[in-house]
Amino acid sequence: MKKIDILKEMARVIDVEIEALKSVRSNLGSQFEDAVRMIGGAKGQVVVTGIGKSGIIANKIAATFRSTGTQAIFLHASEALHGDIGSVGRHDVMIAIGKSGETNELNDLLRFVKKSGARVISITSNASSAMAKLSDIVLDLNVHHEACPLNLAPTASTTAALALGDALAVALLDARGFRSDDFAQHHPGGTLGRRLLVHVADIMRTGDRLPRNSPDALLPAAIVEMTRKGIGMTCIVDDKDKLLGIFTDGDLRRTLEKHDMIKNLRVADVMTRNPRSIAPERLAAEAAQILEKQSLGGRLVVLSPEGRLVGALTFHDLLAAGVV
């Protein structure tokens, strides 16, 4: 194996790719705006295509479009010529990626696509190529030097194409007013989706799982309720379930320090008044932030707008729901 300065080579590769990104940023202007408007105004879907390493980048760009609210598919150029071209309709926009713009399969595909009435955006480093001439809009990467020392392996050019695809997707996201709720609808299965979709009401403890005592309850009864429900506290409520306070294991320790005899103490006399609470319609992720920032013993009461106790939430509940 040839001896090289590995860290120096790493820095050189990254510097080449940074320069490629700078070239894209400075080289594109109105063409990029036109591309965003074309995609945003299309009645059909976005079809992203390429071959080889460009095909891998095209697949990722299509996935980014989908996750940010733009209907998109990836179509391999060679497979398209053997039956899959039927997935492209006349209202679609095709984004074709190819550094040289002279790949035969890709250009053959574009000729058929143009005949169907679909529009074409090309991402290339050869603005005078056959692919560029077949396109309605040309996004010229202007990347002619790869990070590969032989200037052969697609490296800087694929990095630039990927960044340009991200820029298109994010510009469309912003133009369409895509919100975090919309993003969550496209990611319901992952941690991100759970953080954006799960509300306090979905996972809070209610009914028989919710510890509660009246203000006149004696401390032994409150301790039994707190132990039986297993969340280290009990909620003190009036006869209409309005929260008056909470009694926690921390309150119990402080009470034992001050009193030799506790069995005749009323829980209302030693409870914590005005505890921090959250509404049931709030996101569970917000409850997690409250618990992380404040010393609340890993639990939170849930109140209605009228101050009525409707639930309780623990950090363990958030963990079990996959919110944290």
Side-chain angles (χ1 to χ4, degrees), residues 118-323:
R119 288 168 293 178
V120 175
I121 298 169
S122 63
I123 297 177
T124 181
S125 284
N126 186 354
S128 61
S129 64
M131 185 173 79
K133 292 173 182 176
L134 288 165
S135 305
D136 297 285
I137 297 173
V138 179
L139 299 178
D140 185 3
L141 296 175
N142 196 32
V143 175
H144 301 287
H145 297 285
E146 301 289 1
C148 165
L150 301 176
N151 198 29
L152 295 175
T155 46
S157 60
T158 48
T159 297
L162 179 60
L164 181 53
D166 288 343
L168 286 169
V170 173
L172 284 161
L173 175 154
D174 193 34
R176 287 173 168 160
F178 197 76
R179 303 167 302 166
S180 59
D181 288 348
D182 301 313
F183 196 89
Q185 296 300 326
H186 289 75
H187 301 78
T191 300
L192 179 58
R194 288 191 291 273
R195 288 184 64 85
L196 293 171
L197 289 173
V198 177
H199 293 80
V200 169
D202 298 326
I203 59 174
M204 67 185 185
R205 296 167 185 248
T206 61
D208 291 339
R209 300 178 66 213
L210 184 60
R212 50 159 58 87
N213 288 96
S214 72
D216 292 327
L218 297 179
L219 213 52
I223 294 171
V224 169
E225 177 72 353
M226 185 168 62
T227 304
R228 188 162 63 93
K229 298 300 171 65
I231 63 172
M233 77 167 185
T234 184
C235 304
I236 314 306
V237 295
D238 65 14
D239 56 1
K240 294 183 179 179
D241 259 355
K242 185 173 182 179
L243 185 73
L244 304 175
I246 59 173
F247 183 74
T248 69
D249 45 14
D251 292 322
L252 176 59
R253 288 192 295 272
R254 286 185 287 273
T255 300
L256 289 171
E257 289 175 355
K258 294 179 181 179
H259 300 273
D260 293 328
M261 297 294 293
I262 64 168
K263 66 179 183 179
N264 292 322
L265 289 176
R266 288 191 331 139
V267 68
D269 296 331
V270 290
M271 69 182 179
T272 296
R273 299 179 183 274
N274 303 313
R276 185 67 188 270
S277 64
I278 193 169
E281 67 271 13
R282 307 301 295 180
L283 287 173
E286 295 180 54
Q289 291 177 344
I290 293 172
L291 289 174
E292 288 169 356
K293 291 179 180 179
Q294 300 190 31
S295 179
L296 298 173
R299 59 236 165 189
L300 200 57
V301 290
V302 185
L303 302 182
S304 71
E306 301 78 27
R308 188 170 58 85
L309 179 69
V310 295
L313 192 67
T314 70
F315 202 79
H316 183 270
D317 297 327
L318 295 167
L319 284 170
V323 176

